[in-house]
């Protein structure tokens, strides 16, 4: 009967939202009331900073602050990717959030090794989530496709990465096979989730 609607806001609502944001932005900078609101907010920020002073984060607390940054980026990026990109996956949102707060973008997280344990937990939860969605009956009925196509995907990914690594990166054959196997296994988990 009716065509399925694409997820996200309709174009008219997005245009209205963009026009409203532009109007508020223009109003804050170009009207007397907007300038007063901006000056009051700036004064309030300076007052709070004078009262609080310099905030020192101890070494043991940096992990908590970094975890909070990761959670905040996830809260913002995952819904944006899922709603605005047709067929967007939460995995892509998490990748985007991590890239934004990482050392090569905003630099909110400089010590990547300290966050590595959270990343390992994320992989465990991803695989657990995949396991929750599998049923034994469905797995048995699709065994030929799951095990045949899944094995073929892993082997082809391994061979492609290993060939690429030996030719272009000048790795030894054993190193290239190990790299190919690692990337093939991780790409399988992400591809299944997406």
């Amino acid at each position: 009967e009716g065509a399925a609607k694409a997820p996200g806001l309709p174009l008219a609502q997005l245009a209205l939202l963009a026009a409203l944001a532009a109007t508020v932005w223009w109003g804050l900078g170009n009207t007397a009331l907007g300038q007063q609101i901006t000056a009051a907010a700036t004064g309030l920020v300076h007052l709070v900073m004078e009262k609080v002073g310099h905030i020192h984060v101890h070494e043991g607390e940096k992990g908590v602050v970094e975890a909070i940054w990761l959670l905040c980026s996830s809260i913002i990026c995952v819904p944006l990717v899922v709603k605005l990109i047709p067929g967007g996956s939460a995995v892509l949102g998490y990748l985007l959030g991590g890239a934004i707060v990482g050392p090569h973008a905003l630099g909110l997280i400089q010590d990547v090794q300290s966050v590595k344990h959270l990343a390992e937990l994320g992989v465990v939860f991803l695989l657990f989530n995949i396991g929750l969605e599998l049923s034994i009956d469905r797995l048995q009925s699709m065994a030929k496709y799951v095990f045949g196509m899944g094995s073929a995907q892993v082997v082809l990914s391994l061979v492609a990465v290993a060939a690429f690594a030996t030719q272009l990166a000048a790795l030894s054959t054993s190193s290239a096979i190990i790299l190919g196997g690692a990337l093939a296994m991780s790409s399988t988990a992400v591809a299944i989730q997406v």
Side-chain angles (χ1 to χ4, degrees):
E1 320 306 338
K5 287 180 67 175
L9 295 174
L11 187 58
Q13 287 180 343
L14 283 174
L16 181 64
L17 188 62
L20 180 64
T23 303
V24 169
W25 183 261
W26 178 85
L28 286 176
N30 295 330
T31 63
L33 178 62
Q35 291 172 352
Q36 289 174 348
I37 291 171
T38 304
T42 304
L44 181 63
V45 168
H46 288 298
L47 178 68
V48 169
M49 289 181 74
E50 286 175 7
K51 296 290 182 186
V52 172
H54 177 69
I55 298 174
H56 177 71
V57 178
H58 295 283
E59 194 64 36
E61 297 169 345
K62 282 187 180 179
V64 174
V65 173
E66 290 175 347
I68 290 170
W69 280 120
L70 282 173
L71 289 174
C72 289
S73 70
S74 299
I75 289 170
I76 293 168
C77 292
V78 171
L80 282 175
V81 168
V82 170
K83 293 283 185 188
L84 297 179
I85 297 175
S89 169
V91 174
L92 298 175
Y94 289 122
L95 287 172
L96 177 66
I100 289 173
V101 298
H104 302 294
L106 294 179
L108 298 173
I109 297 175
Q110 291 293 327
D111 186 16
V112 178
Q113 294 301 321
S114 66
V115 187
K116 192 173 183 179
H117 301 296
L118 285 175
E120 290 172 0
L121 278 176
V123 171
V124 169
F125 287 135
L126 173 68
L127 294 174
F128 182 75
N129 188 23
I130 292 170
L132 285 176
E133 295 175 5
L134 287 177
S135 69
I136 297 296
D137 296 334
R138 185 172 174 211
L139 189 61
Q140 287 174 343
S141 69
M142 298 179 63
K144 177 174 53 173
Y145 297 111
V146 170
F147 296 113
M149 301 291 262
S151 300
Q153 188 264 333
V154 169
V155 169
L156 290 175
S157 296
L158 186 147
V159 169
V161 170
F164 179 80
T166 54
Q167 295 299 316
L168 297 176
L171 288 178
S172 67
T173 305
S174 58
S175 298
I177 290 173
I178 291 172
L179 178 66
L183 291 177
M185 295 309 285
S186 63
S187 69
T188 302
V190 172
I192 288 173
Q193 181 66 22
V194 170

